[in-house]
Amino acid sequence: QPQLQESGPGLVKPSETLSLTCSVSGGSISSSSYYWGWIRQPPGKGLEWIGNIYYSGSAYYNSSLKSRATISVDTSKNQFSLKLSSVTAADAAVYYCARLSRSSTVTQRGAFDIWGQGTKVTVSS
Amino acid sequence: DIQMTQSPSTLSASIGDRVTITCRASQSITSWLAWYQQKPGKAPNLLISKASSLESGVPSRFSGSGSGTEFTLTISSLQPDDSATYYCQQYNTYWTFGQGTKVEIK
């Protein structure tokens, strides 16, 4: 069973850029069967999808983030990363990385079947 | 954007009760729907995909049904370990979660 682990600063200043990395172990990030995603959960609230990336670099984003999010992949390190620019207090959340298992090889549709444990990010000066 | 609405927001039931959670999509998502269980301080766990396909290792008391815009998650006999928040998620067009349903044990 593959494992995912988030890493990055737990504290980010307002207006700065949040940077997180997800390391994948026990499986290859370059598999055609999967996309890789970021989801966040503000304190006491529900889940919000941020975006997904394929090992080729093809990415999809939640339009509500207004182009502040960028997801990249490093197949040599078996990692993918999230950058979120111009953060505010509203971006404080637990950030999860997750594996999206494609329903078939002709679609990006799929559910998130393996999740990291999550990393808490606080936005404060 | 597709909106997902769950009901109820909270429910309280006794051990052994049959529990049903409803999820409605703002437009048809055919069967592209997943259900997750989340316990406090933990990551969500995928229970059901494609509306009714039970994931490996998930107890058979969980089941999902529906298509189009209306879906249900049913727990046939509520167990103490089922106390959690449940989320539906559509993946027909991008990915959107419902607001969650907290299940409490009486």
Side-chain angles (χ1 to χ4, degrees):
Chain A
Q1 176 87 330
Q3 292 187 319
L4 282 67
Q5 178 68 57
E6 305 89 350
S7 60
L11 179 64
V12 183
K13 291 182 169 60
S15 81
E16 294 193 344
T17 296
L18 176 162
S19 295
L20 297 174
T21 295
C22 182
S23 299
V24 180
S25 59
S28 173
I29 203 170
S30 299
S31 170
S32 61
S33 298
Y34 309 112
Y35 274 71
W36 306 89
W38 288 97
I39 300 100
R40 68 180 181 180
Q41 185 169 37
K45 295 188 178 181
L47 300 163
E48 180 183 31
W49 171 69
I50 299 171
N52 299 336
I53 194 163
Y54 194 52
Y55 75 91
S56 65
S58 173
Y60 302 87
Y61 298 100
N62 187 332
S63 60
S64 71
L65 293 169
K66 298 179 181 177
S67 302
R68 294 192 297 126
T70 302
I71 301 175
S72 59
V73 62
D74 187 336
T75 55
S76 66
K77 294 182 179 179
N78 227 34
Q79 295 177 337
F80 62 107
S81 300
L82 169 69
K83 291 188 186 299
L84 186 64
S85 63
S86 305
V87 300
T88 69
D91 294 310
V94 174
Y95 284 75
Y96 295 101
C97 61
R99 186 182 80 172
L100 184 151
S101 186
R102 301 170 71 185
S103 298
S104 77
T105 55
V106 297
T107 179
Q108 74 273 24
R109 293 188 176 108
F112 295 104
D113 65 343
I114 298 177
W115 295 63
Q117 64 186 26
T119 188
K120 183 179 179 180
V121 175
T122 301
V123 179
S124 175
S125 55
Chain B
D1 292 4
I2 298 177
Q3 309 302 318
M4 306 300 293
T5 304
Q6 289 182 233
S7 61
S9 296
T10 307
L11 73 86
S12 183
S14 300
I15 300 300
D17 282 356
R18 183 181 183 87
V19 167
T20 299
I21 299 168
T22 298
C23 179
R24 289 187 174 86
S26 59
Q27 63 189 75
S28 177
I29 57 171
T30 58
S31 295
W32 300 116
L33 184 102
W35 289 97
Y36 299 85
Q37 177 193 66
Q38 186 180 34
K39 296 184 178 180
K42 299 293 187 182
N45 180 48
L46 178 64
L47 299 176
I48 288 168
S49 61
K50 211 158 183 203
S52 61
S53 181
L54 197 68
E55 293 296 303
S56 175
V58 175
S60 58
R61 63 180 180 272
F62 291 93
S63 64
S65 64
S67 65
T69 61
E70 283 222 16
F71 302 86
T72 58
L73 173 70
T74 300
I75 307 174
S76 60
S77 177
L78 191 67
Q79 299 301 305
D81 190 49
D82 300 337
S83 177
T85 300
Y86 294 83
Y87 293 93
C88 64
Q89 178 208 36
Q90 70 83 19
Y91 50 98
N92 180 75
T93 307
Y94 294 103
W95 290 260
T96 315
F97 291 91
Q99 81 278 17
T101 296
K102 187 174 183 179
V103 173
E104 299 173 337
I105 309 293
K106 280 183 186 174

